C-alpha cells in the first residue's frame, strides 16, 4: 500500500485523536483509517498508537514518527506548490536547439530580442547537433526545437512560427559568362551552389511546381552564408533564404532568376513536449517569436 497514503492517514489520526475524527476529515471510514495505521505499523516495524474503546493515543515511537511524517508531507505539499507556481510563471531556464542554418539567420535575432524582453528567463540556445528522431531534443534536455519540415509525430507538439521565403539567384557576372537561366530544367547545365542538407530544389508553386535533384554541384556548404558569398563571387546559381540575401539582391550583386515561377517558402516550426499544460515560459516564448516574425516581415523584392 502507498506509504504516503498511510502516513497521511496516521498524521490525521495523531492530529484528531481518534480514528472516527480522522475519517471525517479524510472523507473516509474509521475502519479504513484503522487499517491504514495498522499497515504503517507493519511496515515500520513498531507500534505507533495505543488503541482503546474510546480514544487513540500515540506511543513514544508514534510521537516521533508523527512529527517526522507531518514534516515530510508538508515538504511535499510545499514543493508541489512551488513547482506548480514555477510552471505558471515566465521565468527559469529555457533550452532551445535548432539546425545551424536557421539559428544563424532570423531566428538568432528573434531569440536575442526575446532574451532582452524577458530577463527572468535564462536562455540556452544551441545550433546543430540535432537527431533525425523528432523527439530526441527532449531526451537531450531541451525544451524547444526548431524545424522547417512538416512533422507527424504524436510524441511532440508543434506550432508554426513563420514562413521563410527563399529565392533562386546568381551574380550578373556568372549570368554574363554562362548565359541566363531560361527554365527550371536548364539547372542541369549550370553550376549550382548547394546546401548539403538541401540537394533537391522545388521550383514554382502548387501543381505547377517541379523538383530538381541538383547534380552539377560547383560549390557545397552547410552554411547558407557561405553559399551566398560564393554566389556573389559569380561561382554559380544558389537557392538562398531571402532575408540575408536581401541587401545583395537590392544592390544588384545578385539577381533573381525565374521570378515568374519563384520558389516555395519554408515553414518554421517550433516543437515542444507533450502534455495538457504548456509551461508558461514556453508559451510566452512561442507567442513572442510568432509576434516578432509578424512585426519584422521580409521586404518584397521588386524583380
Amino acid at each position: 500500500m502507498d506509504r504516503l497514503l498511510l502516513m497521511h492517514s496516521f498524521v490525521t489520526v495523531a492530529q484528531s485523536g481518534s480514528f472516527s475524527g480522522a475519517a471525517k476529515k479524510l472523507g473516509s471510514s474509521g475502519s479504513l483509517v484503522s487499517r491504514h495505521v495498522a499497515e504503517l505499523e507493519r511496515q515500520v516495524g513498531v507500534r505507533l498508537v495505543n488503541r482503546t474503546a474510546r480514544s487513540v493515543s500515540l506511543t513514544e515511537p508514534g510521537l516521533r514518527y508523527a512529527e517526522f511524517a507531518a514534516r515530510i508531507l508538508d515538504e511535499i505539499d510545499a514543493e508541489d506548490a512551488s513547482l506548480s507556481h514555477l510552471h505558471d510563471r515566465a521565468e527559469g531556464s529555457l533550452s532551445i536547439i535548432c539546425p545551424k542554418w536557421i539559428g544563424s539567420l532570423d531566428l538568432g535575432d528573434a531569440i536575442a530580442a526575446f532574451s532582452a524582453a524577458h530577463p527572468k528567463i535564462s536562455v540556452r540556445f544551441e545550433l546543430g547537433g540535432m537527431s533525425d528522431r523528432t523527439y530526441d531534443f527532449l531526451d537531450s534536455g531541451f525544451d524547444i526545437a526548431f524545424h522547417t519540415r512538416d512533422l507527424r509525430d504524436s510524441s511532440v507538439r508543434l506550432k508554426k512560427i513563420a514562413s521563410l521565403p527563399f529565392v533562386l539567384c546568381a551574380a550578373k557576372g556568372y549570368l554574363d559568362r554562362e548565359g541566363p537561366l531560361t527554365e527550371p530544367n536548364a539547372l542541369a547545365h549550370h553550376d549550382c551552389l548547394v546546401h548539403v542538407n538541401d540537394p533537391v530544389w522545388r521550383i514554382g508553386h502548387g501543381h505547377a511546381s517541379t523538383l530538381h535533384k541538383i547534380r552539377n554541384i560547383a560549390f557545397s556548404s552547410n552554411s547558407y552564408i557561405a553559399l551566398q558569398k560564393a554566389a556573389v563571387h559569380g561561382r554559380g546559381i544558389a537557392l538562398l533564404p531571402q532575408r540575408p540575401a536581401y541587401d545583395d539582391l537590392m544592390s544588384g550583386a545578385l539577381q533573381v532568376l525565374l521570378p515568374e515561377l519563384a520558389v516555395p517558402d519554408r515553414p518554421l516550426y517550433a516543437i515542444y513536449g507533450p502534455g495538457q499544460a504548456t509551461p508558461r515560459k514556453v508559451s510566452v516564448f512561442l507567442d513572442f517569436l510568432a509576434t516578432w516574425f509578424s512585426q519584422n516581415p521580409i521586404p518584397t523584392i521588386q524583380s
Side-chain angles (χ1 to χ4, degrees), residues 13-169:
V13 168
Q15 293 170 345
S16 303
S18 69
F19 292 124
S20 60
K24 184 178 295 186
K25 287 185 178 180
L26 295 172
S28 182
S29 67
S31 60
L32 180 58
V33 172
S34 179
R35 286 201 300 274
H36 285 175
V37 173
E39 175 61 19
L40 183 61
E41 289 176 321
R42 187 192 68 78
Q43 290 187 15
V44 299
V46 297
R47 184 160 53 87
L48 300 174
V49 299
N50 293 311
R51 297 167 172 81
T52 67
R54 296 184 178 181
S55 65
V56 171
S57 62
L58 300 183
T59 63
E60 183 177 350
L63 288 169
R64 177 176 172 178
Y65 197 82
E67 180 181 347
F68 162 78
R71 184 173 70 252
I72 294 298
L73 293 172
D74 286 345
E75 288 181 3
I76 290 174
D77 288 343
E79 184 64 17
D80 286 350
S82 176
L83 290 175
S84 178
H85 191 43
L86 180 62
H87 186 277
D88 294 333
R89 290 183 297 183
E91 59 183 69
S93 61
L94 186 67
S95 297
I96 307 155
I97 189 169
C98 73
K100 288 182 179 179
W101 76 267
I102 305 176
S104 61
L105 304 178
D106 310 66
L107 192 58
D109 292 329
I111 293 177
F114 170 81
S115 183
H118 295 274
K120 290 186 177 182
I121 297 179
S122 174
V123 174
R124 170 191 171 200
F125 181 36
E126 292 195 11
L127 279 60
M130 297 184 66
S131 167
D132 290 336
R133 292 186 298 182
T134 304
Y135 55 82
D136 270 5
F137 74 99
L138 294 171
D139 295 337
S140 300
F142 291 94
D143 301 297
I144 299 168
F146 285 91
H147 287 276
T148 57
R149 67 178 189 273
D150 290 326
L151 301 171
R152 297 290 184 269
D153 192 331
S154 61
S155 63
V156 296
R157 285 186 290 175
L158 174 150
K159 178 181 176 69
K160 185 177 180 181
I161 299 298
S163 293
L164 304 178
F166 275 62
V167 61
L168 191 68
C169 57

